[in-house]
């Protein structure tokens, strides 16, 4: 039931504050992670993990890419990420102590399942982060963590992605405890996660401004998304959403790659969307943005709160509320979901059932 909403996708975007609560529920106590959430035997497995191999498809793959930044930053062990359809068909190297982490909303994606089956006997353990309890992926993995997002009907994944990110942060904490992550830092991270329901509620209030922004895209045929660091995968996810439901060709680049090729495409017909939080990469990103402006490209910036990018001719800026930096990938995703949603509505596409796509890809 869509309730008051015009589409399931919009309903699911708006459910995200509640979903953030659901994925954290029962997983922490006194500000610390409860490892039992991953299943019995999880702690003994985490003790032995030396690196992580993440495998997933589509949106779930983008969540895995964010986790690579988190795990290598906060845990300090190697993390590899690969799309399942590639991983399953090549002779992969899996060093001793590898945790195979699969990510899937449905738990029935053919390539992800095949990848799991292919290497299961050759890894330390398998962990599935999944939205469907009892799915094949969960049943066939040693450990699992449910994302508790509730059924996702819209073909374009929204709340499943943000809940996967929270589950991945919990996984990062579990691994980090065994390495460089102090109890103090863990408490800070958990406290940050607990701000998510309130923060996403505030982000939903940007809906009107984003709907207004969407009018600039309805006539466009291409768009470029830029991000750096853990927001590069968020840019990729933003581009995928726009492609899927509005049928606008969109590509994402790490902002530093702009002058290594894609800048050649930039003109007034090529809108550029940048996700720009307040971290050390900001100044570099600003230089990239100037290059885009110099070529007549119209800029759409989702900016961190204290950031000093001001709207001007050809530069549209939406400021996000203040938040802990670690939440950036989750928080910056929501406005991009809304942007693609409104563009699709303007274009009159079938938002919940985009052409040629199925919700669950159970054949390869
Ligand atoms: C995009 C989308 C797909 C899925 C992909 C994997 O909006 O929904 O890219 O993310 O097919 O599906 P799951 O997560 O069920 O394995």
């Amino acid at each position: 039931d869509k309730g008051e909403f015009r589409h399931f996708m919009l309903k699911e975007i708006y459910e995200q504050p509640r979903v953030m609560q659901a994925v954290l529920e029962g997983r922490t106590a006194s500000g610390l992670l409860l490892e039992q959430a991953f299943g019995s035997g999880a702690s003994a497995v985490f003790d032995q993990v030396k690196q992580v191999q993440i495998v997933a498809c589509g949106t779930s793959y983008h969540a895995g890419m964010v986790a690579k930044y988190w795990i290598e930053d906060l845990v300090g062990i190697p993390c590899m990420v690969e799309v399942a359809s590639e991983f399953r068909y090549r002779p992969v190297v899996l060093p001793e102590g590898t945790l195979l982490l699969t990510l899937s909303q449905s738990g029935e994606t053919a390539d992800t399942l095949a990848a799991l089956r292919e290497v299961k006997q050759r890894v330390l353990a398998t962990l599935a982060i999944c939205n469907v309890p009892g799915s094949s992926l969960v049943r066939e993995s040693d450990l699992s963590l449910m994302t508790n997002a509730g059924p996702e009907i819209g073909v374009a994944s929204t709340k499943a992605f943000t809940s996967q990110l929270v589950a991945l942060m919990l996984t990062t904490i579990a691994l980090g405890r065994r390495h460089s992550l102090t109890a103090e830092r863990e408490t800070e991270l958990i406290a940050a996660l607990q701000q998510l329901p309130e923060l996403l509620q505030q982000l939903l209030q940007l809906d009107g401004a984003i709907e207004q922004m969407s009018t600039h895209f309805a006539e466009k045929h291409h768009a470029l998304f830029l991000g750096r660091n853990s927001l590069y995968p968020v840019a990729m996810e933003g581009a995928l959403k726009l492609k899927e439901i509005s049928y606008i060709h969109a590509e994402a680049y790490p902002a530093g790659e702009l002058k290594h090729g894609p800048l050649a495409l930039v003109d007034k017909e090529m809108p550029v969307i940048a996700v720009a939080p307040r971290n050390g990469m900001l100044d570099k990103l600003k230089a990239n943005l100037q290059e885009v402006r110099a070529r007549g490209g119209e800029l759409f910036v989702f900016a961190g709160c204290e950031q000093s990018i001001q709207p001007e001719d050809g530069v549209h800026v939406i400021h996000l509320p203040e938040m802990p930096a670690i939440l950036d990938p989750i928080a910056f995703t929501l406005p991009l979901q809304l942007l693609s949603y409104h563009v699709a509505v303007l274009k009159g596409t079938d938002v919940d059932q985009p052409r040629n796509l199925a919700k669950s890809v159970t054949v390869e």
Side-chain angles (χ1 to χ4, degrees):
D1 180 20
K2 293 194 282 253
E4 58 183 297
F5 294 99
R6 186 164 163 198
H7 297 99
F8 279 108
M9 184 184 178
L10 189 62
K11 172 174 177 265
E12 289 159 5
I13 290 172
Y14 270 79
E15 276 171 5
Q16 288 176 111
R18 194 151 49 78
V19 167
M20 296 297 101
Q21 222 149 8
V23 62
L24 287 169
E25 191 117 342
R27 269 89 191 258
T28 66
S30 312
L32 295 171
L33 170 71
L34 296 172
E35 292 183 357
Q36 304 91 288
F38 293 86
S40 63
S43 299
V45 167
F46 292 143
D47 284 344
Q48 300 171 67
V49 174
K50 296 204 179 106
Q51 61 271 314
V52 181
Q53 172 70 60
I54 300 180
V55 176
C57 302
T59 289
S60 295
Y61 167 67
H62 296 152
M65 284 187 68
V66 172
K68 178 185 169 76
Y69 287 89
W70 285 343
I71 290 171
E72 297 205 344
D73 177 10
L74 297 169
V75 187
I77 62 173
C79 176
M80 279 76 66
V81 194
E82 192 164 346
V83 288
S85 55
E86 287 297 313
F87 181 88
R88 67 179 285 199
Y89 285 122
R90 66 182 191 91
V92 291
V93 177
L94 295 161
E96 189 229 317
T98 298
L99 175 69
L100 180 80
L101 169 45
T102 54
L103 291 165
S104 175
Q105 188 286 126
S106 62
E108 303 297 344
T109 300
D111 283 323
T112 308
L113 265 173
L116 169 68
R117 290 170 184 156
E118 188 64 35
V119 301
K120 207 178 159 163
Q121 307 307 328
R122 293 199 282 136
V123 293
L124 170 71
T126 56
L127 163 63
I129 289 180
C130 189
N131 195 38
V132 180
S135 59
S136 305
L137 200 70
V138 170
R139 280 187 279 110
E140 296 181 31
S141 298
D142 303 317
L143 305 172
S144 59
L145 185 64
M146 290 304 124
T147 47
N148 295 345
E152 192 179 61
I153 311 292
V155 165
S157 189
T158 53
K159 61 177 181 172
F161 177 74
T162 47
S163 62
Q164 281 171 344
L165 290 179
V166 175
L168 285 164
M169 179 49 72
L170 297 178
T171 310
T172 302
I173 291 171
L175 295 171
R177 283 174 162 180
R178 273 104 181 148
H179 296 269
S180 51
L181 193 79
T182 62
E184 192 187 4
R185 183 78 176 117
E186 174 172 342
T187 316
E188 275 170 27
L189 292 171
I190 299 284
L193 292 175
Q194 282 164 344
Q195 293 177 36
L196 277 168
E198 170 63 28
L199 174 64
L200 295 204
Q201 203 63 56
Q202 288 175 34
L203 286 164
L204 287 170
Q205 286 160 23
L206 300 173
D207 197 4
I210 296 168
E211 185 172 5
Q212 200 115 58
M213 188 184 260
S214 70
T215 57
H216 296 273
F217 291 83
E219 307 294 316
K220 295 288 191 288
H221 299 286
H222 309 275
L224 202 55
F225 286 73
L226 300 178
R228 281 180 182 264
N229 204 271
S230 62
L231 291 194
Y232 166 48
V234 168
M236 292 177 75
E237 175 57 11
L240 179 63
K241 287 292 90 98
L242 195 67
K243 277 183 256 205
E244 278 183 296
I245 60 169
S246 75
Y247 313 147
I248 292 176
H249 167 226
E251 281 195 80
Y253 275 91
E257 277 290 289
L258 192 61
K259 49 165 102 56
H260 298 285
L263 193 57
L265 291 169
V266 174
D267 63 13
K268 64 182 191 344
E269 292 308 316
M270 175 71 98
V272 178
I273 299 109
V275 277
R278 100 294 294 128
N279 62 28
M281 293 292 176
L282 180 63
D283 289 338
K284 287 187 182 171
L285 184 57
K286 275 190 185 164
N288 298 145
L289 301 187
Q290 271 153 16
E291 289 165 321
V292 169
R293 271 313 288 149
R295 284 152 185 89
E298 201 151 357
L299 266 172
F300 300 85
V301 185
F302 292 90
C305 68
E306 73 255 36
Q307 206 200 107
S308 55
I309 291 188
Q310 292 310 319
E312 52 184 271
D313 198 30
V315 184
H316 310 260
V317 183
I318 289 183
H319 279 101
L320 271 60
E322 196 172 346
M323 65 182 120
I326 198 71
L327 303 181
D328 285 346
I330 303 170
F332 279 78
T333 293
L334 189 144
L336 297 185
Q337 293 170 344
L338 284 171
L339 180 65
S340 60
Y341 172 77
H342 288 299
V343 175
V345 169
L346 276 178
K347 294 196 68 176
T349 63
D350 190 346
V351 173
D352 286 332
Q353 291 281 332
R355 66 188 183 198
N356 311 342
L357 299 178
K359 181 66 189 161
S360 192
V361 186
T362 54
V363 292
E364 65 169 297

